[in-house]
Amino acid sequence: MPTTKKRILVITTGGTIAMKYEKDTGVVPCNELMEFLKSFSQLSEVADIDVYEFSNIPSPHMTPEMMFNLAKYLDDIIESSNGDTQSLQISDYDGAVITHGTDTLEETAFLLDLVLTTRKPVVLTAAMRSGNDIGLDGPRNIIGAVRVAAHANSIDKGVLVVMNDEIHTARDVLKADTGRVNSFESPGYGAIGYVDTDDVIYHRQILVRENVWTDKINSNVDLIKATSGIDDRYIRSSIENGAAGIVIEAFGKGNLPPNMIPSIQKAISLNIVVVVVSRVNTGRVLPEYGYLGGGKDLENYGVILGGDLKGPKARIKLMCLLGKYDDVDKIKKFF
Ligand code: ASP
């Protein structure tokens, strides 16, 4: 039986995948990705493609607000049956691919994963090498991402990230190397599948999925990393600057030095939500150690232990939760 081609929307946001090296300027954004995508004949063999430029920025310039706007745009566009957004004639897309800079890709992917309501595939991809570098990874990553977005087995898997022929979940993936094309990893868990020459192969079910369906986010959340001998100056600064939430990347299973404790207690007394995760690569934080500043001690003060999420993702999650709830107990249930 002949299969009909899927219709995929490719949304560009910027990043190295949309940059070129120039002798005088270094690697900087250029305007060629859109044209390239429209004339990329191998792409049209995989799916019917429309391309929409959301932004053309380096991903260090991406903000949580922009990520959330991207989510709203996606939910409207993918699920609308006759929407006409931004002059594109949209009938019904089967999925979307988002090109992004690698530096903050994991944060955008996770925010979308939390707030999107669509069950259709949404796949982020990027490039470690700019448009005129030798051994370009961008075009291959885009084709891989479109093939994943067009694949029947990609439905209902949440937001996925395709890099270097591997498929990762938004929740677990992170940029693990500053330069290599195999930079993206899901530490402790691994990729859930890969893009092969003839097919998209999934090897694992996704058992951990989280959603925070919210109309707005509260991006007023700080992230503080614990280091030996650290005192409370950053927590005091967060309090003084009116933070709504503070995420602390603590040691080991979620333990902190004594000097931080009084200010953490003060923050909690001021209704600032304090979430502790670990600065260690893999594993959860737990209320295990009862000494001053240990995870059990922190929980007694009202600190929320944030499971296995790394700091940047726990921060994104807290922004979404604070956009929806102002009740700490409700927020705690999501961690
Ligand atoms: N600095 C770039 C960015 O995130 C890195 C990349 O895209 O690979 O925009």
Side-chain angles (χ1 to χ4, degrees):
M1 206 173 63
T3 49
T4 48
K5 255 205 243 169
K6 294 285 180 64
R7 194 153 181 228
I8 303 296
L9 177 63
V10 179
I11 302 172
T12 64
T13 68
T16 292
I17 200 163
M19 293 189 196
K20 268 189 163 173
Y21 171 78
E22 304 287 347
K23 197 164 170 287
D24 296 334
T25 56
V27 179
V28 286
C30 64
N31 291 317
E32 288 161 34
L33 181 64
M34 292 289 287
E35 288 317 306
F36 170 73
L37 286 168
K38 285 177 193 160
S39 62
F40 195 4
S41 60
Q42 283 154 292
L43 258 195
S44 42
E45 288 165 22
V46 179
D48 288 327
I49 302 292
D50 285 319
V51 189
Y52 169 66
E53 183 178 272
F54 177 82
S55 60
N56 190 8
I57 54 166
S59 75
H61 298 195
M62 185 63 81
T63 64
E65 284 78 12
M66 290 176 76
M67 295 171 191
F68 191 70
N69 287 341
L70 178 60
K72 289 292 139 207
Y73 171 75
L74 262 167
D75 254 344
D76 289 348
I77 218 165
I78 304 191
E79 290 303 339
S80 66
S81 55
N82 60 359
D84 176 5
T85 309
Q86 306 290 340
S87 80
L88 289 169
Q89 291 301 312
I90 287 147
S91 53
D92 199 5
Y93 287 102
D94 296 292
V97 165
I98 300 162
T99 62
H100 200 284
T102 58
D103 289 347
T104 59
L105 182 146
E106 67 213 51
E107 291 180 54
T108 298
F110 188 50
L111 187 141
L112 295 178
D113 196 38
L114 290 172
V115 307
L116 284 180
T117 57
T118 183
R119 296 175 58 229
K120 291 176 184 175
V122 174
V123 183
L124 275 84
T125 194
M128 294 297 292
R129 293 174 179 156
S130 63
N132 46 1
D133 204 349
I134 292 169
L136 269 191
D137 55 338
R140 188 181 179 92
N141 286 342
I142 291 171
I143 292 243
V146 170
R147 286 180 58 203
V148 170
H151 201 277
N153 291 351
S154 303
I155 292 169
D156 229 353
K157 283 199 162 46
V159 173
L160 299 171
V161 173
V162 170
M163 290 291 286
N164 198 37
D165 298 341
E166 292 182 348
I167 310 168
H168 295 264
T169 65
R171 187 183 188 283
D172 297 335
V173 77
L174 51 78
K175 184 175 181 176
D177 189 279
T178 57
R180 296 184 198 173
V181 289
N182 63 351
S183 163
F184 280 77
E185 293 175 4
S186 297
Y189 303 119
I192 58 164
Y194 59 99
V195 184
D196 214 338
T197 339
D198 61 335
D199 205 353
V200 168
I201 313 288
Y202 284 102
H203 268 274
R204 303 181 212 287
Q205 298 272 19
I206 299 161
L207 298 179
V208 182
R209 288 280 307 281
E210 309 172 81
N211 288 114
V212 184
W213 291 324
T214 175
D215 292 335
K216 59 180 193 318
I217 60 168
N218 182 346
S219 61
N220 193 9
V221 179
D222 292 337
L223 171 59
I224 297 168
K225 186 169 194 148
T227 46
S228 55
I230 190 172
D231 62 19
D232 65 343
R233 75 185 80 167
Y234 300 116
I235 298 175
R236 278 193 277 118
S237 162
S238 292
I239 294 171
E240 281 156 23
N241 286 292
I246 304 172
V247 175
I248 306 173
E249 271 196 356
F251 304 111
K253 285 188 172 168
N255 311 311
L256 289 171
N259 280 347
M260 290 180 101
I261 307 307
S263 290
I264 288 176
Q265 289 172 317
K266 179 164 182 209
I268 290 168
S269 75
L270 294 169
N271 283 327
I272 300 170
V273 181
V274 180
V275 174
V276 159
V277 292
S278 181
R279 65 174 210 170
V280 178
N281 270 355
T282 59
R284 296 159 63 220
V285 288
L286 289 171
E288 197 167 298
Y289 292 95
Y291 58 78
L292 184 62
K296 190 172 164 50
D297 186 50
L298 294 176
E299 204 179 49
N300 288 340
Y301 306 136
V303 167
I304 296 174
L305 298 181
D308 65 347
L309 286 177
K310 294 302 104 197
K313 286 190 184 167
R315 176 174 168 267
I316 290 286
K317 185 169 165 181
L318 188 53
M319 286 176 184
C320 295
L321 288 166
L322 283 166
K324 189 166 173 138
Y325 304 110
D326 50 17
D327 175 350
V328 184
D329 290 329
K330 276 218 176 97
I331 291 176
K332 189 172 182 179
K333 289 202 183 97
F334 283 83
F335 279 95

PDB file of all heavy atoms in Angstrom, residues 15-16 19 58-60 101-103 127, ligand 1:
ATOM      1  N   GLY A  15      21.201  29.700  15.834  1.00  0.00           N
ATOM      2  CA  GLY A  15      22.233  28.753  16.268  1.00  0.00           C
ATOM      3  C   GLY A  15      23.286  28.551  15.195  1.00  0.00           C
ATOM      4  O   GLY A  15      23.192  29.090  14.088  1.00  0.00           O
ATOM      5  N   THR A  16      24.279  27.766  15.529  1.00  0.00           N
ATOM      6  CA  THR A  16      25.396  27.503  14.611  1.00  0.00           C
ATOM      7  C   THR A  16      24.924  26.914  13.296  1.00  0.00           C
ATOM      8  O   THR A  16      25.537  27.122  12.247  1.00  0.00           O
ATOM      9  CB  THR A  16      26.409  26.561  15.304  1.00  0.00           C
ATOM     10  OG1 THR A  16      27.006  27.292  16.378  1.00  0.00           O
ATOM     11  CG2 THR A  16      27.500  26.095  14.372  1.00  0.00           C
ATOM     12  N   MET A  19      24.696  29.618  10.929  1.00  0.00           N
ATOM     13  CA  MET A  19      25.824  30.556  11.002  1.00  0.00           C
ATOM     14  C   MET A  19      26.922  30.170  10.012  1.00  0.00           C
ATOM     15  O   MET A  19      26.971  29.038   9.532  1.00  0.00           O
ATOM     16  CB  MET A  19      26.424  30.556  12.416  1.00  0.00           C
ATOM     17  CG  MET A  19      25.508  31.123  13.479  1.00  0.00           C
ATOM     18  SD  MET A  19      26.387  31.333  15.043  1.00  0.00           S
ATOM     19  CE  MET A  19      25.019  31.511  16.171  1.00  0.00           C
ATOM     20  N   PRO A  58      21.694  33.489  18.116  1.00  0.00           N
ATOM     21  CA  PRO A  58      22.516  32.492  18.811  1.00  0.00           C
ATOM     22  C   PRO A  58      21.723  32.015  20.040  1.00  0.00           C
ATOM     23  O   PRO A  58      21.050  32.847  20.679  1.00  0.00           O
ATOM     24  CB  PRO A  58      23.758  33.267  19.246  1.00  0.00           C
ATOM     25  CG  PRO A  58      23.676  34.606  18.588  1.00  0.00           C
ATOM     26  CD  PRO A  58      22.251  34.850  18.235  1.00  0.00           C
ATOM     27  N   SER A  59      21.812  30.754  20.379  1.00  0.00           N
ATOM     28  CA  SER A  59      20.929  30.295  21.460  1.00  0.00           C
ATOM     29  C   SER A  59      21.275  30.844  22.843  1.00  0.00           C
ATOM     30  O   SER A  59      20.417  30.835  23.730  1.00  0.00           O
ATOM     31  CB  SER A  59      20.800  28.770  21.472  1.00  0.00           C
ATOM     32  OG  SER A  59      21.935  28.146  21.981  1.00  0.00           O
ATOM     33  N   PRO A  60      22.497  31.385  23.099  1.00  0.00           N
ATOM     34  CA  PRO A  60      22.672  32.097  24.365  1.00  0.00           C
ATOM     35  C   PRO A  60      21.771  33.337  24.471  1.00  0.00           C
ATOM     36  O   PRO A  60      21.592  33.882  25.558  1.00  0.00           O
ATOM     37  CB  PRO A  60      24.159  32.485  24.350  1.00  0.00           C
ATOM     38  CG  PRO A  60      24.791  31.426  23.518  1.00  0.00           C
ATOM     39  CD  PRO A  60      23.783  31.144  22.430  1.00  0.00           C
ATOM     40  N   GLY A 101      20.187  26.642  18.371  1.00  0.00           N
ATOM     41  CA  GLY A 101      21.579  26.592  18.794  1.00  0.00           C
ATOM     42  C   GLY A 101      21.765  25.502  19.844  1.00  0.00           C
ATOM     43  O   GLY A 101      20.850  25.207  20.614  1.00  0.00           O
ATOM     44  N   THR A 102      22.955  24.934  19.866  1.00  0.00           N
ATOM     45  CA  THR A 102      23.167  23.821  20.795  1.00  0.00           C
ATOM     46  C   THR A 102      23.297  24.270  22.255  1.00  0.00           C
ATOM     47  O   THR A 102      23.048  23.491  23.168  1.00  0.00           O
ATOM     48  CB  THR A 102      24.444  23.035  20.421  1.00  0.00           C
ATOM     49  OG1 THR A 102      25.555  23.932  20.431  1.00  0.00           O
ATOM     50  CG2 THR A 102      24.313  22.362  19.067  1.00  0.00           C
ATOM     51  N   ASP A 103      23.707  25.540  22.471  1.00  0.00           N
ATOM     52  CA  ASP A 103      24.053  25.963  23.840  1.00  0.00           C
ATOM     53  C   ASP A 103      22.880  25.876  24.821  1.00  0.00           C
ATOM     54  O   ASP A 103      23.066  25.521  25.989  1.00  0.00           O
ATOM     55  CB  ASP A 103      24.600  27.396  23.833  1.00  0.00           C
ATOM     56  CG  ASP A 103      25.996  27.475  23.214  1.00  0.00           C
ATOM     57  OD1 ASP A 103      26.622  26.420  23.034  1.00  0.00           O
ATOM     58  OD2 ASP A 103      26.449  28.594  22.918  1.00  0.00           O
ATOM     59  N   ALA A 127      23.352  22.002  15.011  1.00  0.00           N
ATOM     60  CA  ALA A 127      24.628  21.603  14.421  1.00  0.00           C
ATOM     61  C   ALA A 127      25.753  22.052  15.339  1.00  0.00           C
ATOM     62  O   ALA A 127      25.666  23.105  15.964  1.00  0.00           O
ATOM     63  CB  ALA A 127      24.802  22.247  13.049  1.00  0.00           C
TER      64      ALA A 127
HETATM   65  N1  ASP B   1      26.779  29.193  20.249  1.00  0.00           N
HETATM   66  C1  ASP B   1      25.954  28.401  19.370  1.00  0.00           C
HETATM   67  C2  ASP B   1      24.491  28.563  19.760  1.00  0.00           C
HETATM   68  O1  ASP B   1      24.046  27.907  20.663  1.00  0.00           O
HETATM   69  C3  ASP B   1      26.368  26.984  19.441  1.00  0.00           C
HETATM   70  C4  ASP B   1      25.636  26.064  18.498  1.00  0.00           C
HETATM   71  O2  ASP B   1      24.592  26.331  17.980  1.00  0.00           O
HETATM   72  O3  ASP B   1      26.190  24.960  18.294  1.00  0.00           O
HETATM   73  O4  ASP B   1      23.816  29.346  19.164  1.00  0.00           O
END
